[in-house]
Amino acid sequence: MVDRARLAENLEQVHRTIGGACERSGRCPEAVRLVAVTKTVGAEAVRALFELGQRDFGENRPRNGCGKVGALAEPEARWHFIGHLQRNKVKDVLPAFGTVHSLDSVRLARQMQRIAEEQDLQPTVLLEVNISGEASKHGIEAREAPGVADEVLQMDRLRLAGLMTMAPLVEDPEETRVHFRGLRTLRERLEHHTGEDLPELSMGMSNDYAVAIEEGATQVRVGSALFRGCIEAATEA
Ligand SMILES: *Cc1c(COP(=O)(O)O)cnc(C)c1O
């Protein structure tokens, strides 16, 4: 069961936080897309969010994710794949997800190009960059980005739209600012290097999305802040 009133409150709160961060940084709220990360909740919560007007949804696992895409079955919904993607799962993921935020190797890109051609698809892709350099993180290193971007730009089925990163988990969100700024700087360097527009910066999660927006995020991936209290409250009742 989903506490819909609480979910509506949380969604409103997230929009207020987005609005506040935009105001502080002189940005337009329409330039920031909220991707609701639904990996911890079921199809009922996805449906409830859709009915509240949410249109962008993110999942990090092929099986679970594809299940929820199928369960919602609304052509207006846009699905974002945000987790590590194995090459043998590309054929399942591409038909369901219009955007893949986690492109992290040329080998994966080649497989995506091949499957997209077979299935006549044109997925939008973001390069995942391990900007903080933490050993535990997926993503290419910043210094590899120009070479990988050059290769991906040659794959005619893939629309390279920008970059994605995950900041380290820290207590104080201010500490993530340097990483978000680093991704934005890298994006500028890549645009210069490739001569292409790379407008999208997918960065910021529940703990740090306000800081990410101040640093230029165009997509924030928010899960727990949306679902806090919605699912527990219902089971207790
Ligand atoms: C889970 C997840 C998120 C959302 O995290 P929250 O802290 O719940 O907002 C964002 N991005 C990725 C890649 C994730 O796996």
Side-chain angles (χ1 to χ4, degrees), residues 183-200:
L183 195 72
R184 189 183 68 202
T185 310
L186 176 63
R187 187 264 304 268
E188 281 156 21
R189 281 191 1 236
L190 282 183
E191 285 186 328
H192 186 75
H193 170 82
T194 60
E196 298 284 334
D197 278 341
L198 299 169
E200 301 292 341

Side-chain angles (χ1 to χ4, degrees), residues 28-64:
C28 171
E30 286 74 51
V32 180
R33 182 183 296 234
L34 171 63
V35 178
V37 177
T38 50
K39 66 189 181 194
T40 61
V41 298
E44 188 194 350
V46 176
R47 162 65 54 191
L49 267 180
F50 184 85
E51 285 166 5
L52 289 167
Q54 179 63 29
R55 290 295 177 267
D56 290 275
F57 300 91
E59 284 284 331
N60 68 337
R61 295 267 160 81
R63 252 175 86 95
N64 261 334

Side-chain angles (χ1 to χ4, degrees), residues 119-134:
Q119 302 188 356
D120 195 19
L121 298 167
Q122 287 190 294
T124 296
V125 299
L126 305 179
L127 269 188
E128 181 174 357
V129 181
N130 181 1
I131 202 85
S132 66
E134 281 180 294

Side-chain angles (χ1 to χ4, degrees), residues 37 39-40 59-60 82-83 128 164-166 169 204-207 209 220-226:
V37 177
K39 66 189 181 194
T40 61
E59 284 284 331
N60 68 337
I82 62 173
E128 181 174 357
M164 179 273 226
T165 201
M166 285 176 81
L169 263 185
M205 312 182 4
S206 290
N207 191 44
Y209 65 100
V220 292
R221 309 177 310 270
V222 177
S224 46
L226 283 172

Side-chain angles (χ1 to χ4, degrees), residues 1-2 4 13-14 18 23 36 39 43 49-50 64 86 92 95 108 120 128 130 134 141 143 150 156 167 194 207:
M1 285 293 286
V2 178
R4 285 167 184 256
Q13 179 57 52
V14 169
I18 292 173
E23 208 169 294
K39 66 189 181 194
L49 267 180
F50 184 85
N64 261 334
Q86 290 175 319
D92 305 322
L108 175 61
D120 195 19
E128 181 174 357
N130 181 1
E134 281 180 294
E141 290 177 39
R143 62 178 169 76
D150 285 340
D156 62 353
T194 60
N207 191 44

Side-chain angles (χ1 to χ4, degrees), residues 24-222:
R24 285 194 296 283
S25 50
R27 302 186 57 208
C28 171
E30 286 74 51
V32 180
R33 182 183 296 234
L34 171 63
V35 178
V37 177
T38 50
K39 66 189 181 194
T40 61
V41 298
E44 188 194 350
V46 176
R47 162 65 54 191
L49 267 180
F50 184 85
E51 285 166 5
L52 289 167
Q54 179 63 29
R55 290 295 177 267
D56 290 275
F57 300 91
E59 284 284 331
N60 68 337
R61 295 267 160 81
R63 252 175 86 95
N64 261 334
C66 292
K68 277 176 241 176
V69 176
L72 186 64
E74 292 282 354
E76 277 175 56
R78 294 177 289 266
W79 287 89
H80 302 251
F81 193 84
I82 62 173
H84 181 60
L85 180 54
Q86 290 175 319
R87 278 177 296 138
N88 64 354
K89 295 287 164 23
V90 169
K91 62 179 184 319
D92 305 322
V93 163
L94 283 195
F97 292 82
T99 303
V100 173
H101 292 229
S102 42
L103 177 54
D104 61 0
S105 75
V106 171
R107 287 174 80 198
L108 175 61
R110 285 200 191 106
Q111 177 72 356
M112 288 175 67
Q113 161 75 13
R114 200 169 68 72
I115 299 285
E117 201 151 45
E118 264 174 35
Q119 302 188 356
D120 195 19
L121 298 167
Q122 287 190 294
T124 296
V125 299
L126 305 179
L127 269 188
E128 181 174 357
V129 181
N130 181 1
I131 202 85
S132 66
E134 281 180 294
S136 59
K137 289 258 192 297
H138 289 293
I140 60 169
E141 290 177 39
R143 62 178 169 76
E144 300 174 284
V148 175
D150 285 340
E151 296 225 37
V152 173
L153 284 167
Q154 299 201 351
M155 301 180 191
D156 62 353
R157 289 281 163 170
L158 308 186
R159 304 183 209 237
L160 180 61
L163 305 177
M164 179 273 226
T165 201
M166 285 176 81
L169 263 185
V170 288
E171 196 99 333
D172 177 7
E174 262 313 309
E175 290 176 36
T176 60
R177 187 178 297 277
V178 60
H179 304 299
F180 296 142
R181 191 168 292 173
L183 195 72
R184 189 183 68 202
T185 310
L186 176 63
R187 187 264 304 268
E188 281 156 21
R189 281 191 1 236
L190 282 183
E191 285 186 328
H192 186 75
H193 170 82
T194 60
E196 298 284 334
D197 278 341
L198 299 169
E200 301 292 341
L201 288 177
S202 167
M203 55 189 198
M205 312 182 4
S206 290
N207 191 44
D208 52 24
Y209 65 100
V211 176
I213 290 168
E214 290 170 13
E215 293 301 329
T218 62
Q219 307 196 32
V220 292
R221 309 177 310 270
V222 177

